[in-house]
Amino acid sequence: MANQNPSAFVHVDARAAAGAMSRGQDPHALDRGTSAVLYYLYTSLPDLPVSADARLSALPASPSAKGTDRISALPSTVLREIVSRLPIKDAARTSVLSKRWLPVWLSAPVAIDDTTLRPRALVGRAPVRADSPVLAAAVTRILAAHPGPFRAVYLVRSYMDGHQQQLAHWLRLLAAKGVDELVLVNRPWPIDMPLPATILNITTLTRLFIGVWKFPDTAGLPRGGCGGGAALFPHLRELIVCCVSMENRDMDFLLAGSPVLETLGIQGYKKVALCLRLVGQRLQCVQICLSVVETITVVDAPLLERLILWEPLDDSCVRLKIDRAPKLRLLGYLEPGTYTLEMRNTVINKTVEATGKLNLKFWQENGPIESMQSHIKLMSFREFRGDRSELDFLKFFMKNARVLEKVEIMSASGCFTSVHELQSKVAALDPDNWASDDCSLAVYIGSEGSDIWNFRRGLDVSVDDPFARY
């Protein structure tokens, strides 16, 4: 998860593993690939909204206090807040402190994290296996004992294939009792483990993260939700889909049923090439990585600020079409490839099409893009190889970006032997021809594994520059 130590996983070829998944192959056949999929998935998980280090304790009473229980005297709203921030084991233990605490436990919106539920084995004190029935039984007991709603439920360590009946029961309980945040990962195989359609009935969700599943077939369901036109997820603000087998119609169904969605992340999209249509009045950030992508069309997203495409698979030609996204300020590609970009500028009513192989003459003939001229302050160019087409685009960009403050260029691994060689190549970007007099240029030599993209950072719109070097 987000606070998990990435060093616990071996650095491997993630592209090979994700490519195998996109073709329906079992990444177990790729020893290194298995670790890669787990690495990217588990480092993409959000932090649990409780303190894993929190413990319910009290200092010894002072002689003058005469053993007074001052914590229990706090208002019920404060006590519920305390309990809701405790790990689930400690939260449950508060119910036996006194009669005062039992109703607090039952009314507090608690958070469940199955990584804290693994008991120690009697011999050797080693934690039980994640596929142990003991872990599934603990989840069942907690979900049944607490009346809900739940603040968060993170089930990321269980091998769900052995607990299909329990999983269906859990989702029915969550649909009935309510949950704000649900993170549900099948750890990690089979990759085509069916996700029960009951998940579509949990209407209270504000965050949904699903990983390594076969998504329910939505064909025949009413568009917008299961309730005859009512929104599927009326409160959902963040949707992350990782290594999930689904059709494009299923993704369209999810988006159509999430009217207040702000953040969309797609990782390891497979089975079919992704054809994504973005229509969302609240949508602010979209990030897609390690997926087979055909088209991305931004139809109408008035608040969209960030669109990032990272390592499209199978060397596919990706077509991006942006019709209406007036606040788009970051459009990022973290892997070289063939792209077609079509941006419709409603101010000047001009369409600009571009591919990575076009020369400077093409850019000059099509003219400047208004948002490039007046809004962009940072240009971050990764995987630079020094090709003519790359230099032509940079020349065009820097000649027209009037408010540009900084340009960062990082070379692709192995393309340049020294910073001096890289500087010589970019010397063609003559500063005398830049539109901005206050712009600085920085170059970096890229190396294998030195610049691992952070998926969660890319989704965080409060981070002004997710591409910044640490």
Side-chain angles (χ1 to χ4, degrees), residues 341-407:
L341 172 61
E342 182 177 323
M343 298 183 69
R344 185 171 301 279
N345 189 321
T346 57
V347 176
I348 59 175
N349 195 27
K350 179 183 291 187
T351 298
V352 178
E353 294 185 358
T355 66
K357 299 181 180 180
L358 297 175
N359 57 28
L360 184 59
K361 181 180 179 181
F362 169 85
W363 295 102
Q364 292 172 337
E365 289 177 348
N366 279 279
I369 302 171
E370 193 275 335
S371 60
M372 178 190 297
Q373 289 182 314
S374 306
H375 300 289
I376 297 179
K377 296 182 178 181
L378 171 68
M379 155 67 86
S380 182
F381 197 110
R382 303 300 174 98
E383 299 292 327
F384 179 76
R385 286 171 163 75
D387 296 339
R388 173 67 181 275
S389 59
E390 294 175 330
L391 288 170
D392 283 344
F393 172 74
L394 286 170
K395 288 178 181 178
F396 169 80
F397 190 97
M398 299 172 78
K399 185 178 180 180
N400 290 280
R402 295 193 295 259
V403 298
L404 194 64
E405 296 177 357
K406 186 176 182 179
V407 175

Side-chain angles (χ1 to χ4, degrees), residues 38-276:
L38 286 176
Y39 175 88
Y40 283 114
L41 192 153
Y42 277 91
T43 55
S44 300
L45 295 179
D47 290 318
L48 190 73
V50 299
S51 173
D53 298 325
R55 294 293 183 270
L56 188 66
S57 62
L59 295 174
S62 64
S64 61
K66 297 181 180 181
T68 302
D69 181 0
R70 298 188 184 280
I71 295 180
S72 296
L74 293 171
S76 296
T77 54
V78 176
L79 296 181
R80 284 195 293 269
E81 187 67 20
I82 291 174
V83 173
S84 70
R85 294 179 181 273
L86 290 173
I88 188 61
K89 285 185 178 180
D90 291 330
R93 288 173 182 142
T94 63
S95 63
V96 299
L97 291 177
S98 68
K99 293 182 179 180
R100 175 79 168 89
W101 284 89
L102 178 57
V104 171
W105 147 254
L106 293 176
S107 60
V110 295
I112 303 174
D113 175 12
D114 64 355
T115 62
T116 66
L117 292 177
R118 294 175 63 184
R120 295 281 177 175
L122 296 178
V123 180
R125 303 297 293 170
V128 300
R129 287 172 53 90
D131 57 349
S132 169
V134 175
L135 183 59
V139 174
T140 300
R141 285 196 303 272
I142 296 170
L143 290 177
H146 197 281
F150 297 93
R151 184 180 185 186
V153 175
Y154 283 31
L155 305 177
V156 301
R157 290 293 182 179
S158 295
Y159 291 83
M160 298 295 186
D161 188 43
H163 307 291
Q164 296 187 34
Q165 290 185 347
Q166 291 97 322
L167 173 62
H169 180 57
W170 297 342
L171 294 179
R172 286 194 296 269
L173 288 175
L174 292 175
K177 297 182 178 183
V179 58
D180 286 346
E181 301 182 14
L182 177 60
V183 178
L184 191 61
V185 176
N186 173 34
R187 178 187 169 89
W189 320 123
I191 59 176
D192 57 351
M193 167 75 182
L195 180 61
T198 312
I199 196 170
L200 302 177
N201 296 330
I202 308 177
T203 59
T204 56
L205 288 171
T206 61
R207 167 184 279 168
L208 176 61
F209 185 116
I210 52 176
V212 196
W213 297 102
K214 180 180 180 182
F215 197 78
D217 186 4
T218 61
L221 294 179
R223 191 171 180 85
C226 301
L232 178 69
F233 297 127
H235 311 290
L236 190 66
R237 296 194 301 270
E238 179 176 298
L239 172 64
I240 310 296
V241 178
C242 292
C243 307
V244 173
S245 174
M246 61 193 307
E247 301 284 351
N248 282 314
R249 66 169 179 266
D250 301 325
M251 180 60 69
D252 290 341
F253 180 84
L254 278 177
L255 297 181
S258 307
V260 299
L261 191 67
E262 298 173 357
T263 303
L264 172 64
I266 301 173
Q267 188 179 117
Y269 190 90
K270 67 188 192 71
K271 190 175 181 179
V272 296
L274 178 63
C275 297
L276 186 65

Side-chain angles (χ1 to χ4, degrees), residues 309 312 317-320 333-341 354-356:
L309 181 63
C317 178
V318 182
R319 180 177 181 84
L320 298 177
Y333 310 92
L334 277 76
E335 183 71 11
T338 303
Y339 303 94
T340 298
L341 172 61
T355 66

